Amino acid sequence: MALWRKIDRDVADILGEGTLWCPRDGALYWTDILAPALNRMDLASGAIDRWTMPEPLGWVAAAKTGGLIGGFRGGVGSITFDPASAMPVIGPRSGPEPHLPGNRMNDGKADAHGAIWCGTMDMAEEQDNGTLYRLGSDGAFQVIDTGYGVPNGPAFSPCGQWLYHADSARRVIYRFALTDEGVGPREVFVRFAEEDGYPDGMICDAQGFLWQAHWDGGRISRFAPDGRLDRAIALPARRITNIAFAGERHDRMFVTSARVGLADPGEYDGALFEVESGATGFAPGVYG
């Protein structure tokens, strides 16, 4: 029996990313970075909306004040939904790298304390000038780590003691200890072999295992807290990009994919999948 199903819709994502389950809205959000677009699926009805964005959008998070906050190419900005308008309202964007106009936000998530951890990268993927930032509820950016080619993640352990983050270009998943004193040194958690593809988006389940998307690997994998490979689920798309647990019990897993760069994209490349993972997640963080 197949462990996945393709979600029916009339479009495929160029670069699906940025998955977010928003309990307040009862909806799964995800981005299409290069379209650029923001997608939303109502979990109760299955209805899907898609809105064109003004610039590449890497990630979204729920905001405590309402609506979403998004990581755009030009920085972080609010995304609010006006019932009287067919389009979301996008607020002014500001970011930590005005001196690097070739960079953009890639992936990011809010933690349980209301901060967002997000990475930047060279949009042309020619320079290793990406940085992992922590965005506090006061709007201030803190540099956590630098020198990334393609930053991906992050993911937070349910105990709140570990942050996972990857440099896809180097095929490495890192781990950072989180303490009251701050962020510990970067540790190598898992190295991908060439046949594994590249580590992309990720999320932790309620047991503290890390679920990892494989770009050019056609699957998702579950890693134990000690880095041991626990299981893998093959998917029919080649470039798997991000993962989210959704639903009232956080027991529905959704996975995005991409078709960018493929000479012969098939019907599953760029699809959104629901996967029978056998695992459950936990509530996502809210910014603010």
Side-chain angles (χ1 to χ4, degrees):
M1 185 179 72
L3 295 177
W4 55 268
R5 71 178 180 96
K6 178 187 174 186
I7 303 299
D8 291 330
R9 54 195 181 116
D10 58 4
V11 65
D13 294 316
I14 301 170
L15 179 52
E17 260 287 6
T19 53
L20 167 71
W21 162 241
C22 183
R24 180 180 62 206
D25 298 346
L28 177 79
Y29 292 92
W30 73 101
T31 69
D32 185 346
I33 296 178
L34 298 180
L38 173 64
N39 302 292
R40 179 178 68 189
M41 182 172 70
D42 181 272
L43 238 58
S45 67
I48 296 176
D49 294 300
R50 181 177 171 94
W51 301 283
T52 298
M53 293 287 104
E55 57 187 80
L57 174 64
W59 55 263
V60 289
K64 190 173 292 185
T65 54
L68 306 176
I69 182 169
F72 294 87
R73 179 174 183 175
V76 174
S78 62
I79 304 173
T80 55
F81 299 91
D82 182 352
S85 173
M87 291 293 294
V89 178
I90 313 300
R93 277 86 71 193
S94 63
E97 298 179 342
H99 59 295
L100 295 173
N103 274 17
R104 67 165 173 84
M105 290 280 179
N106 192 45
D107 205 356
K109 287 190 180 76
D111 66 17
H113 305 288
I116 287 175
W117 303 69
C118 54
T120 60
M121 61 175 284
D122 175 22
M123 196 156 179
E125 298 185 32
E126 296 174 349
Q127 305 292 325
D128 291 343
N129 60 7
T131 297
L132 172 62
Y133 293 96
R134 179 186 180 275
L135 173 62
S137 57
D138 59 356
F141 286 91
Q142 174 191 0
V143 174
I144 302 299
D145 198 19
T146 60
Y148 284 81
V150 181
N152 263 302
F156 311 99
S157 64
C159 65
Q161 296 178 355
W162 296 103
L163 165 74
Y164 297 92
H165 195 245
D167 190 338
S168 300
R170 292 181 170 84
R171 289 192 164 101
V172 179
I173 306 170
Y174 299 115
R175 186 173 72 167
F176 301 80
L178 301 178
T179 69
D180 292 339
E181 287 71 41
V183 183
R186 185 176 73 187
E187 305 173 7
V188 172
F189 180 64
V190 173
R191 290 189 186 274
F192 272 28
E194 185 173 351
E195 59 267 24
D196 296 326
Y198 301 84
D200 207 303
M202 60 186 77
I203 195 167
C204 285
D205 63 26
Q207 291 184 287
F209 285 62
L210 180 72
W211 289 87
Q212 178 68 59
H214 290 243
W215 175 279
D216 282 349
R219 63 188 184 274
I220 58 174
S221 293
R222 185 186 194 233
F223 293 97
D226 61 3
R228 172 181 52 86
L229 177 63
D230 175 72
R231 76 182 75 153
I233 298 175
L235 293 167
R238 285 163 279 184
R239 297 188 158 173
I240 307 302
T241 54
N242 214 308
I243 309 168
F245 287 102
E248 291 182 2
R249 296 184 295 274
H250 309 286
D251 58 353
R252 297 179 66 180
M253 176 184 279
F254 292 91
V255 177
T256 52
S257 66
R259 59 200 288 116
V260 63
L262 295 175
D264 57 342
E267 64 171 302
Y268 295 107
D269 296 309
L272 173 70
F273 301 94
E274 183 168 7
V275 177
E276 295 290 340
S277 69
T280 57
F282 52 95
V286 176
Y287 175 70

